[in-house]
Amino acid sequence: MIFSFIKRLFAFLLLILVQGFFLNQVNVMGYATPMISIFFLLVFQRGSSRFSLLLWGFFLGLAMDLFTNTPGVGAASCTLLGMIQPLLLEMFLPRDCAEDLSPSIKELGLAKFCGYLLLSTFIFYGAYYLLLAFSLAHLESLAINIVGGTLFSFVLMLGLNSLYHRS
């Protein structure tokens, strides 16, 4: 139990530091900024307590807010992702899977994992940029931010998955 917590805390800190110091500086054509720190929430085991997902999601978003100067936007978006992560995961799981399954390409297969990752990332970015803009006045720019960030982060998280779940 304590080893699991320390491992999770290390992954949390590593992803936040990479996000804050490196990836927040990447901005493709002024629209797509990758946020791979949400990968931390997406690979939580099936059957994890909802309270722990919400708590980790809130603190992940709070840490993102500290680096991006977006008070509350990251916290709200990551808390939302933590809340719906079990529901999204259940949509892509086979019927006869283990209770402690960790989402990965190896466990879900490429198509289902990509669907899970893409849908989760899209929902996160939708919430993030809608809260950040708090307006639909620039709908085209908002859509480009959401889709561009989703696709960029999706590709990076696929690569991260291969590093994280190396056998």
Side-chain angles (χ1 to χ4, degrees):
M1 174 95 175
I2 191 75
F3 179 71
S4 171
F5 177 77
I6 292 172
K7 183 180 173 185
R8 192 170 282 165
L9 184 63
F10 177 74
F12 176 88
L13 293 174
L14 183 65
L15 281 171
I16 283 298
L17 291 175
V18 168
Q19 179 72 49
F21 290 117
F22 300 109
L23 295 177
N24 283 349
Q25 311 310 318
V26 176
N27 198 328
V28 178
M29 296 172 47
Y31 292 107
T33 301
M35 294 188 202
I36 64 163
S37 54
I38 64 170
F39 185 73
F40 175 79
L41 290 174
L42 298 178
V43 295
F44 258 71
Q45 288 183 341
R46 177 182 185 213
S48 295
S49 97
R50 186 155 295 200
F51 179 73
S52 69
L53 271 166
L54 288 172
L55 203 58
W56 280 107
F58 175 75
F59 285 114
L60 177 69
L62 200 59
M64 287 171 61
D65 286 336
L66 290 174
F67 281 106
T68 58
N69 197 23
T70 54
V73 174
S77 302
C78 285
T79 304
L80 172 69
L81 187 60
M83 184 177 73
I84 64 171
Q85 186 265 0
L87 302 172
L88 294 172
L89 184 57
E90 287 296 322
M91 288 173 48
F92 293 96
L93 288 178
R95 289 190 179 159
D96 57 341
C97 66
E99 188 64 31
D100 62 346
L101 176 132
S102 286
S104 67
I105 292 173
K106 182 180 177 184
E107 296 293 331
L108 297 177
L110 182 62
K112 287 186 177 187
F113 183 73
C114 284
Y116 165 68
L117 197 64
L118 198 57
L119 180 60
S120 302
T121 307
F122 181 76
I123 290 171
F124 168 79
Y125 270 97
Y128 185 85
Y129 280 113
L130 283 170
L131 287 171
L132 192 62
F134 209 69
S135 165
L136 296 177
H138 304 285
L139 197 56
E140 182 179 310
S141 174
L142 187 64
I144 292 171
N145 278 327
I146 292 170
V147 172
T150 297
L151 294 177
F152 195 11
S153 295
F154 170 73
V155 170
L156 290 176
M157 285 190 284
L158 278 179
L160 187 59
N161 178 69
S162 66
L163 291 174
Y164 188 72
H165 291 286
R166 192 172 278 190
S167 303

